[in-house]
Amino acid sequence: MNKKRILSGIQSTGNLTLGNYLGAIHNWIDLQEKYDCNYMIANLHTLTVRTNPDELRKNILNLIAIYIAAGLDPEKNNIFIQSQISAHSELAWILNCYTYMGELSRMTQFKDKSEKHADNINAGLFTYPVLMAADILLYQADLVPVGEDQRQHLEITRDIAERFNKLYGETFVVPEGYVSKAGAKIMGLQNPENKMSKSAENKNDVIFLNDSPDEIMRKFKKAVTDSDGIVKYDINRKPGISNLMTIYGTIKKMNKEDVEKEFQGIGYGKFKQAVAEVVIEELKPIQDRYKDIIKNPEYIQKICKNGKERAEIIANKTLYDVQKKIGLIL
Ligand code: TRP
């Protein structure tokens, strides 16, 4: 048991996109043998945006079903729900007292989200990175696979851990980001300058994991390209084509050069169709397994129960250590 420990999570906010899948879960599958993997449903983080309770319940179950349908083996990966382990909230409060307003004000996600939800700039949105730090530090995670957009949150986690360790002696493992070779940032199909986002206004911009084959084909056929007619990777001049190449290459585990070669002399129409086909082929078995799993909420609950039990042992040990060091344990 001296495998390095990995921790990551996804917020339970409705339909996952192809971007969530290729940027996260798809890569996690390859890690399950080599690392001690822990994946969380970050349902406390979702409270920073107002959510309907029935929706939230549904989204939590959905996300676990997707984790498993996508191939995360619950025997090899510890899958658990953040809110079921009270240590997350408890450590987050403590760490709030070791984090500065100035640091949190610099978080670009906070700035973006407060613009987007100007009517609900709650304190949770502001301290969101501290809860994320608690998630990571509780498990003494060595590696945290996250996308580019979460890098700043990982940095602040490292700062908080180092600050605490300096004050009280070695307490937390200072985590590193994990950038997998296959890690992909998927952009919108209509706006390839922006990340594929489930909240995009134009639904043709986004592939959802539960889109039907026809929808997937239709959306790829409408994807924005350019007038060159050459399948070549050039993120600045050809963001649309480059994004389609990333999608194709990530699924087929091919590098850009090989994708370029495969589609040399082949027009955009055929290329788009080929990309749509690999996506349909990749998602079809996941969609089928998902439909089976979601019919069986007891099975999902059982996985969470096991996950909670395993996670709690590690989390509570860290929390106790922290409480002891700062003088809360008499
Ligand atoms: N904030 C992350 C996101 O929105 C989700 C998350 C919460 C997370 N806690 C985490 C990711 C801990 C990695 C580690 O994508």
Side-chain angles (χ1 to χ4, degrees):
M1 264 315 272
N2 41 19
K3 285 182 179 172
K4 284 200 170 173
R5 185 171 290 152
I6 280 194
L7 180 122
S8 196
I10 300 185
Q11 288 197 52
S12 43
T13 48
N15 269 347
L16 286 200
T17 70
L18 183 66
N20 298 126
Y21 172 69
L22 292 180
I25 309 174
H26 175 73
N27 308 313
W28 298 351
I29 311 299
D30 296 334
L31 307 174
Q32 57 191 4
E33 306 295 338
K34 201 166 153 212
Y35 297 100
D36 165 13
C37 296
N38 300 271
Y39 299 112
M40 198 181 70
I41 312 290
N43 60 344
L44 292 175
H45 280 104
T46 62
L47 300 179
T48 55
V49 174
R50 202 64 70 229
T51 332
N52 165 306
D54 287 330
E55 280 286 301
L56 181 55
R57 263 188 287 271
K58 201 177 95 204
N59 291 343
I60 295 168
L61 289 173
N62 273 350
L63 185 52
I64 300 165
I66 288 170
Y67 277 1
I68 299 160
L72 283 186
D73 179 347
E75 294 297 320
K76 292 184 185 148
N77 301 271
N78 201 27
I79 298 172
F80 62 94
I81 302 176
Q82 184 187 32
S83 67
Q84 292 189 346
I85 294 159
S86 60
H88 289 251
S89 303
E90 294 178 66
L91 184 64
W93 171 256
I94 294 173
L95 296 182
N96 265 321
C97 304
Y98 294 84
T99 310
Y100 298 105
M101 300 281 286
E103 287 177 297
L104 291 174
S105 326
R106 285 195 292 274
M107 296 291 120
T108 53
Q109 193 176 76
F110 172 68
K111 292 184 213 163
D112 292 349
K113 287 203 177 169
S114 13
E115 263 171 40
K116 220 161 144 192
H117 306 282
D119 56 337
N120 181 20
I121 307 179
N122 57 69
L125 206 54
F126 191 64
T127 61
Y128 179 116
V130 183
L131 178 59
M132 184 160 155
D135 298 338
I136 297 168
L137 299 179
L138 272 178
Y139 297 92
Q140 308 288 0
D142 299 292
L143 299 169
V144 184
V146 282
E148 205 41 51
D149 62 320
Q150 296 297 317
R151 199 169 277 278
Q152 213 184 9
H153 293 162
L154 186 61
E155 270 316 306
I156 197 174
T157 300
R158 290 169 53 86
D159 291 343
I160 295 169
E162 280 168 358
R163 183 173 303 148
F164 196 96
N165 287 348
K166 215 181 225 164
L167 284 166
Y168 300 100
E170 282 309 303
T171 308
F172 298 123
V173 169
V174 180
E176 308 266 348
Y178 178 89
V179 190
S180 90
K181 280 183 238 88
K185 184 173 179 194
I186 306 300
M187 315 303 275
L189 299 184
Q190 294 296 317
N191 294 300
E193 284 86 10
N194 294 314
K195 191 177 141 181
M196 183 180 279
S197 157
K198 60 188 125 205
S199 48
E201 262 162 42
N202 183 344
K203 290 300 163 221
N204 289 327
D205 201 47
V206 198
I207 303 286
F208 290 104
L209 292 191
N210 59 359
D211 278 352
S212 70
D214 287 349
E215 277 169 310
I216 295 174
M217 185 56 81
R218 188 178 53 75
K219 289 180 183 175
F220 275 106
K221 283 192 171 159
K222 285 198 175 142
V224 165
T225 53
D226 52 66
S227 54
D228 283 359
I230 302 164
V231 178
K232 189 170 165 31
Y233 195 86
D234 183 338
I235 199 91
N236 295 318
R237 287 190 44 249
K238 299 161 72 67
I241 286 294
S242 303
N243 185 41
L244 296 179
M245 289 177 70
T246 304
I247 294 172
Y248 190 84
T250 307
I251 295 176
K252 301 272 278 186
K253 299 196 194 296
M254 280 166 73
N255 63 28
K256 299 175 183 75
E257 292 73 29
D258 291 339
V259 179
E260 273 171 23
K261 253 183 237 150
E262 181 171 339
F263 292 97
Q264 211 166 34
I266 291 174
Y268 286 171
K270 280 223 168 103
F271 174 54
K272 286 180 176 181
Q273 189 165 342
V275 179
E277 277 164 9
V278 297
V279 171
I280 291 167
E281 209 180 303
E282 175 79 11
L283 296 187
K284 180 74 172 60
I286 299 177
Q287 293 174 340
D288 290 346
R289 279 195 296 268
Y290 171 82
K291 280 182 203 138
D292 279 342
I293 296 166
I294 203 72
K295 272 191 252 159
N296 194 347
E298 291 84 34
Y299 171 67
I300 302 176
Q301 296 274 15
K302 196 171 134 246
I303 288 167
C304 299
K305 189 165 169 279
N306 288 340
K308 171 183 191 276
E309 281 166 9
R310 284 194 274 176
E312 221 164 31
I313 294 171
I314 312 171
N316 286 347
K317 186 162 169 281
T318 307
L319 179 65
Y320 185 81
D321 186 31
V322 169
Q323 290 172 328
K324 209 165 83 190
K325 283 186 167 140
I326 59 180
L328 291 176
I329 306 283
L330 301 182

